[in-house]
Amino acid sequence: MKKLILAFLSMVIWILLVWPFSSGDVDWHSIGIGVFASIIVGILFGNAFTDSPYKFFEIKRYFWLVYFVVVFVWSFLEASVDFAYRVLHPDLPIRPGIIKVKTKLKRKSGIAILANSIGFAPGAVSVEIVDGFLYIHMACIRYKDTDDATAVVVRRFERILARILE
Amino acid sequence: MRETIGILFMFAGVVFDAIGCVGLVRLPDLYNRLQASLKCVAMGTSMILFGTMIIAGFSAVGAKAFLCLIFILIISPTTEHALARASYIAGVKLWEGSIIDRLKQDSQNNGTGK
């Protein structure tokens, strides 16, 4: 099962890479090589892929994924406009420091995606992760307390990721 | 029409890239500079790729631009986290104007056996 899912994902990436539809009709040679290569990838790396493959078949997780993409893109725009303002302002209005937030996510993949998303939250980058706590460096700190900062920075990604992955 | 929108996106992307470079020079320490290089430069590059996607449409170029966009969004925060963590462990100091360092406080508390 895991191997089939991984083979399917690598086939999608292969089709996006070679794009066999450009010359009017379908280029079957490229697709054949892609099927061959993705079966090999699936057999070799299927065991290291995921430990709960049945989650790929629950439709509602994909709707939450779409919602996550919307939230993520909005947060990304907000973060870069905010940072561009700080960089271009003559007084350089930054109050940097490292604060500590906590997360309720248990799975390693969830924590990894959460840390990556925090990298795109306004003015934040995760520095260290120690069992359930993330130390993040922020360019402009408004809340020093762990609970307040968690509510502002982590919560909006965490509640969606919990529904997608857990 | 489609080309105009694409070129507008590309122009905005170039502006964001330039702002990221200015931030790299103006900001005081490594961690803030990392953020400038992540946020503004990743935004600029994604906007350029998105403009390419709009101009190229559903073609080989558009599909490759889409793949590059996704890989940039995965790779750039990972790299940033790796660099920030490595430089903190290697002992790069925060800017003296920093107002709090919880990581240092916590590691000192652990060191004294609390």
Side-chain angles (χ1 to χ4, degrees), chain A residues 89-107:
Chain A
H89 195 284
D91 296 337
L92 213 63
I94 55 173
R95 303 168 68 220
I98 293 181
I99 57 173
K100 182 182 182 182
V101 295
K102 65 168 178 286
T103 172
K104 280 182 280 188
L105 296 175
K106 292 284 183 294
R107 297 166 60 86

Side-chain angles (χ1 to χ4, degrees), chain A residues 5-138:
Chain A
I5 295 170
L6 186 60
F8 178 73
L9 284 179
S10 28
M11 190 66 207
V12 169
I13 293 178
W14 173 265
I15 284 180
L16 282 175
L17 263 179
V18 299
W19 201 253
F21 314 116
S22 52
S23 61
D25 56 339
V26 180
D27 182 4
W28 289 105
H29 292 137
S30 311
I31 291 185
I33 295 173
V35 169
F36 183 66
S38 41
I39 286 173
I40 290 180
V41 168
I43 289 172
L44 285 183
F45 300 108
N47 289 328
F49 177 46
T50 173
D51 46 357
S52 49
Y54 62 91
K55 284 181 181 167
F56 278 89
F57 299 104
E58 295 177 9
I59 303 296
K60 72 171 196 253
R61 294 181 191 273
Y62 291 96
F63 288 107
W64 283 107
L65 182 66
V66 172
Y67 182 50
F68 177 73
V69 169
V70 172
V71 171
F72 176 81
V73 168
W74 175 248
S75 152
F76 187 19
L77 270 171
E78 201 184 337
S80 32
V81 171
D82 173 77
F83 219 83
Y85 164 74
R86 287 185 202 292
V87 166
L88 294 180
H89 195 284
D91 296 337
L92 213 63
I94 55 173
R95 303 168 68 220
I98 293 181
I99 57 173
K100 182 182 182 182
V101 295
K102 65 168 178 286
T103 172
K104 280 182 280 188
L105 296 175
K106 292 284 183 294
R107 297 166 60 86
K108 280 182 181 172
S109 55
I111 293 176
I113 297 177
L114 180 70
N116 275 4
S117 314
I118 284 173
F120 287 122
V125 48
S126 53
V127 176
E128 177 71 287
I129 301 167
V130 184
D131 10 282
F133 289 97
L134 281 84
Y135 294 89
I136 58 180
H137 180 275
M138 292 199 77

Side-chain angles (χ1 to χ4, degrees), chain B residues 68-87:
Chain B
C68 289
L69 184 59
I70 288 180
F71 281 129
I72 278 185
L73 290 186
I74 294 173
I75 286 167
S76 63
T78 315
T79 325
E80 190 199 27
H81 168 72
L83 281 172
R85 183 162 184 268
S87 34

